Amino acid sequence: MSSTTIQREPRVRKKKRPSPVFEYVQGIVQVTSGTILATTMIISSVAAGGLVGLATSFRNLPDVRSLRTYTPPQTTHIYDIKGKPLTSLHGEANREVVKMEQISPNLKRAVLAIEDSHFYQHQGINPTSLGRAFVANFREGEVVEGGSTLTMQLVKNLFLSRERTFNRKLAEAVLAVRVEQVFSKDEILELYLNQVYWGHNTYGVQTAAQSYFGKSAKDLNLAEATMMAGMIQAPEEYSPFTNMEAAKTRQKLVLKRMQQLGWITSGEVETAAQQPLTLGKITSWQTSELPIITEAVISELNQRFGEETVLKGGMRIQTTVDYNFQRMAEQVVQREHEQLYNRGVNADQVALAAVDPRTHFVKALVGSANPGQSQFNRAIQSRRQPGSAFKPFVYYLGFASGRYTPDTIVQDQPLTLRDGQEVYTPQNYGGGFAGAMSARMSLIQSRNIPAVKMGQDVGLDRVIELSRSLGIKSPMEPVLSLPLGSVGLTPLEMAGAFATFASNGWHSDTTVIARVTDPNGNVLLDNTPKPRLLLDPWATASLNAVMAGVITEGTARAASIGRQAAGKTGTTSSERDVWFVGYVPQLSASVWLGNDNNAPIGGGVTGGTYAAPVWRSFMLEALKDEPVQYFPPATSFAQP
């Protein structure tokens, strides 16, 4: 049929003005002569139905040009540091958008064959199909047959409600014509294939192909493509997951239609119909491979980007955690907790956090002694008093002030402090006083009185300021007992802060996210480390040497791992919390033991006797392929 441009009729003076709908439709439709029938049908339907106000409705239809920048909701994917998928996040729509060239020709042809075989010939409305549907609908007095082209299906899904009314059907036809005037056929088909619903909360061809057949859309063969195409009409009814017989029947219908169109041969029909199909698995609402890690990632992303963007933005998130390393950490904690239980230790929980001092990337988070039973992440969500494990912050400031060195003599003797109405008389663990001793030995033996005195000397506000600079965000007050760790902190905060000691003062922000991109590969967040020298090198090296002595001759001999390491034990009053936080140049890790109800663990339980062995077991596994490295000596740096 030849192409003919619709010409406006000249107005006849004094004749009644045509309806606004008539003028509007004539003004927007300039298509082939085949579409004149569709236009006439629209006008006739308006007249027959007496649809008052339809002209106004048409004027308020969406601007289809907005599709130029339209980005449908897409699924966000989270990976470990090596690219292993951990989980996916999405709202209602589980979708991954792909380009036209990433879709199998088999699927394109199959979809067109069963949904709109004249797609490349019409201009939004197929007059034959629409006419047949119009007659059926007029006879029944309601919409009972669609007659929709693929373009009409697209605009219905994107712009219109699903109510079965003449109004909606007419608006659908008008929008379809508009879309065809603005977009090429391939652009429309690409939009459609990425938008269509394929059942089980799966939207778009790529996610559907991955769900149903465990492969990308570009790799679908004829048998798989025709089964998927047949599902579009009623996805759940024809899903091979729920009704393979119905799916096969529908597949054969698609194959037959393709043969009728001359797009495939009878031999191809027979081969595809008999080809065995290997099904994948539903990818919507996945459970995470590492729940503790992905929950930490989601929390950080929500704070930065907002929950809506995270669920629908199609992000690609690379975490800092290696899947196998994390699993190893979980297994060590679970095994060590069972051994503690068998020894009669009344601690129902263990938490561990590990950070790489060179990057401040989180390497492992274990939030429970039984990760499969409890998803409460005590490594980042539970604030517990670190006790003496907090003292290194005070000693660092003492060394950095220039008033103390590891050899400075301090007094371990009775002390009473007053701050307004507060009277504070600190005691040593186990009682007694040691008298004059070096600052080094006071930390190795974890004496309380020298730490409290040093805290008063350097200033409690400065202790808090240092803690903040090292990444500690938990609430802190300058109370007299602060140098003894009377503040609630998380294991991750402690591991991250000690990681700066391990790197001899170089600091980056601790993070569980390495990189975030959008679906097109544009970088949204790049956490490539940008270390800055935060601490005085001499003071840090001096502190590291002293804390190495904590392991070789002090309260943490049980943490010895056969290489140079440093750390500090922590035990709170009544043995409610026991800690060991230690490090080598390549890894910093904190271990906490306790009870969620804050009940005492038991008399004689200390960080050195119970937390340090857990740390040792973890570090031996974590470092077995790492070379031995040493902390730089204080003599390498000038003293403040």
Side-chain angles (χ1 to χ4, degrees), residues 286-304:
Q286 290 182 355
T287 57
S288 174
E289 294 285 338
L290 298 176
I292 289 295
I293 298 301
T294 53
E295 286 300 321
V297 168
I298 293 167
S299 176
E300 188 171 330
L301 288 173
N302 286 346
Q303 293 178 18
R304 185 178 292 268

Side-chain angles (χ1 to χ4, degrees), residues 259-565:
Q259 182 187 2
Q260 290 172 346
L261 293 168
W263 294 356
I264 58 175
T265 66
S266 58
E268 289 175 308
V269 171
E270 184 176 352
T271 299
Q274 295 178 359
Q275 182 173 338
L277 295 172
T278 302
L279 296 182
K281 62 180 181 179
I282 297 172
T283 59
S284 299
W285 316 117
Q286 290 182 355
T287 57
S288 174
E289 294 285 338
L290 298 176
I292 289 295
I293 298 301
T294 53
E295 286 300 321
V297 168
I298 293 167
S299 176
E300 188 171 330
L301 288 173
N302 286 346
Q303 293 178 18
R304 185 178 292 268
F305 297 104
E307 185 176 355
E308 185 81 1
T309 301
V310 174
L311 278 179
K312 299 180 180 181
M315 294 176 169
R316 305 295 187 266
I317 300 114
Q318 180 190 30
T319 71
T320 61
V321 175
D322 175 85
Y323 174 86
N324 292 325
F325 191 92
Q326 171 68 19
R327 285 299 193 203
M328 175 274 294
E330 293 174 354
Q331 291 164 7
V332 167
V333 167
Q334 191 165 8
R335 182 184 68 236
E336 292 295 315
H337 179 256
E338 290 175 358
Q339 293 179 4
L340 289 170
Y341 179 81
N342 293 334
R343 292 166 59 187
V345 178
N346 184 31
D348 60 18
Q349 288 298 341
V350 180
L352 178 148
V355 175
D356 188 331
R358 299 162 295 187
T359 60
H360 269 72
F361 281 175
V362 173
K363 305 306 294 181
L365 293 174
V366 184
S368 170
N370 298 290
Q373 299 177 13
S374 173
Q375 291 305 310
F376 178 54
N377 191 348
R378 294 160 187 81
I380 62 174
Q381 294 175 308
S382 182
R383 296 189 178 105
R384 304 298 290 251
Q385 291 188 7
S388 293
F390 189 80
K391 290 175 182 175
F393 301 110
V394 178
Y395 277 74
Y396 164 78
L397 285 174
F399 296 158
S401 71
R403 298 192 292 272
Y404 294 87
T405 72
D407 296 325
T408 299
I409 299 299
V410 295
Q411 297 294 327
D412 178 25
Q413 58 190 17
L415 175 69
T416 297
L417 298 174
R418 290 179 173 82
D419 183 7
Q421 298 297 317
E422 180 184 4
V423 178
Y424 180 52
T425 305
Q427 303 291 324
N428 287 310
Y429 185 83
F433 302 95
M437 61 194 316
S438 67
R440 175 182 182 275
M441 194 55 63
S442 70
L443 186 58
I444 287 175
Q445 295 182 1
S446 199
R447 293 287 171 172
N448 289 343
I449 312 305
V452 172
K453 287 182 176 179
M454 196 178 298
Q456 290 293 307
D457 193 10
V458 301
L460 298 179
D461 287 333
R462 289 202 63 204
V463 174
I464 294 175
E465 181 182 350
L466 171 67
S467 301
R468 293 283 181 250
S469 67
L470 294 178
I472 294 176
K473 298 179 180 179
S474 293
M476 305 179 76
E477 296 292 337
V479 296
L480 296 175
S481 58
L482 177 63
L484 303 186
S486 60
V487 58
L489 304 180
T490 70
L492 181 58
E493 287 178 318
M494 291 294 287
F498 274 49
T500 304
F501 296 147
S503 65
N504 213 62
W506 290 89
H507 180 79
S508 297
D509 294 333
T510 302
T511 182
V512 73
I513 299 173
R515 185 180 176 90
V516 179
T517 60
D518 67 13
N520 299 317
N522 300 309
V523 177
L524 302 178
L525 176 63
D526 184 358
N527 279 335
T528 299
K530 300 177 179 62
R532 58 193 184 279
L533 186 59
L534 189 66
L535 304 181
D536 177 80
W538 179 88
T540 308
S542 298
L543 179 67
N544 289 340
V546 173
M547 287 208 285
V550 172
I551 294 176
T552 58
E553 55 184 302
T555 59
R557 289 181 175 90
S560 177
I561 57 174
R563 65 168 77 194
Q564 188 185 48

